[in-house]
Amino acid sequence: DAKTTQPPSMDCAEGRAANLPCNHSTISGNEYVYWYRQIHSQGPQYIIHGLKNNETNEMASLIITEDRKSSTLILPHATLRDTAVYYCIVRPYDLSGNTPLVFGKGTRLSVIA
Amino acid sequence: NAGVTQTPKFRVLKTGQSMTLLCAQDMNHEYMYWYRQDPGMGLRLIHYSVGEGTTAKGEVPDGYNVSRLKKQNFLLGLESAAPSQTSVYFCASREVGGNTEAFFGQGTRLTVV
């Protein structure tokens, strides 16, 4: 079973920030939060990951609450091409890194012109 | 650099037929994965491999077999296809390390009639 809870769908106006929430209330100390997205049935694409500090890259920002029980993925200026299913995944860190990703149902984000 | 390539992209099988799906990666990644995705669902892990000559079962391994004879290739076999195996199949690969991102292929759409 997935360890995360996400809303099934969200809308966002083009040009506005898209804030996608994820609940992971049972997260353990060695588990990271990953975000992937899947555009129109293509293969999923990595976005960002984090442990406890906020993270930012060229695609998005990840805000993790202090108690680490929830997080928010932020797309600062959503475009129509950001319409996709977004998956929040919790995965334990291990040195070998061979623990597979387990996907839930994700959030379907629709960016509206 | 092609990344992760899946062959074929589409296939229709009759119940009871067999087939092999090929996943090839040119990034020298150690880890490879096979997932299936049913309509409206997230990805579910079928089998995975943490290195040449090794395989392991995922969430939904029944009805499938895999082989990793060469590091760059991961084969998924259906010995006797069933309509329940109608799905989109995704392959992914990752390099060794705790937080490396997974790269996905574009998927194989399989219909069993």
Side-chain angles (χ1 to χ4, degrees):
Chain A
D1 291 336
K3 299 180 179 181
T4 63
T5 303
Q6 299 177 253
S9 63
M10 293 181 63
D11 292 338
C12 177
E14 188 178 21
R16 304 296 293 269
N19 296 283
L20 291 92
C22 180
N23 182 289
H24 31 80
S25 58
T26 61
I27 194 169
S28 301
N30 70 336
E31 290 182 317
Y32 280 71
V33 179
Y34 291 78
W35 284 84
Y36 280 74
R37 73 179 182 182
Q38 187 176 23
I39 297 173
H40 192 52
S41 298
Q42 296 177 14
Q45 174 191 26
Y46 166 82
I47 301 173
I48 198 167
H49 73 274
L51 181 62
K52 57 183 178 180
N53 298 318
N54 298 338
E55 302 288 345
T56 296
N57 62 20
E58 64 278 5
M59 289 182 67
S61 294
L62 174 60
I63 308 298
I64 302 174
T65 57
E66 192 169 343
D67 63 8
R68 303 212 318 124
K69 293 185 177 182
S70 65
S71 61
T72 302
L73 179 75
I74 301 173
L75 308 178
H77 305 287
T79 71
L80 297 178
R81 286 176 293 181
D82 292 320
T83 293
V85 177
Y86 287 77
Y87 298 99
C88 170
I89 300 167
V90 166
R91 177 180 165 272
Y93 178 86
D94 64 274
L95 280 177
S96 64
N98 62 17
T99 305
L101 295 169
V102 177
F103 288 80
K105 293 184 179 181
T107 295
R108 181 174 297 278
L109 175 69
S110 299
V111 180
I112 303 167
Chain B
N1 189 337
V4 179
T5 303
Q6 294 183 228
T7 309
K9 290 184 171 50
F10 303 93
R11 185 73 186 268
V12 179
L13 280 182
K14 293 183 178 179
T15 298
Q17 285 185 320
S18 63
M19 78 163 294
T20 300
L21 281 66
L22 170 63
C23 177
Q25 52 96 2
D26 61 3
M27 297 171 283
N28 202 36
H29 286 172
E30 204 67 37
Y31 307 143
M32 296 187 74
Y33 310 88
W34 275 108
Y35 291 88
R36 62 175 286 175
Q37 185 174 33
D38 300 321
M41 304 290 288
L43 282 73
R44 291 185 293 170
L45 183 66
I46 305 172
H47 285 280
Y48 64 101
S49 168
V50 298
E52 183 178 320
T54 71
T55 63
K57 294 181 179 180
E59 302 172 66
V60 289
D62 294 342
Y64 305 95
N65 56 74
V66 288
S67 64
R68 184 96 182 269
L69 299 179
K70 293 183 178 180
K71 185 177 183 179
Q72 64 268 34
N73 295 336
F74 195 28
L75 305 178
L76 178 70
L78 287 73
E79 290 187 347
S80 180
S84 61
Q85 294 178 303
T86 294
S87 190
V88 180
Y89 291 84
F90 289 100
C91 176
S93 71
R94 289 177 56 222
E95 64 181 70
V96 174
N99 284 320
T100 55
E101 69 177 272
F103 292 83
F104 284 80
Q106 290 304 296
T108 295
R109 187 173 297 275
L110 176 66
T111 301
V112 183
V113 297

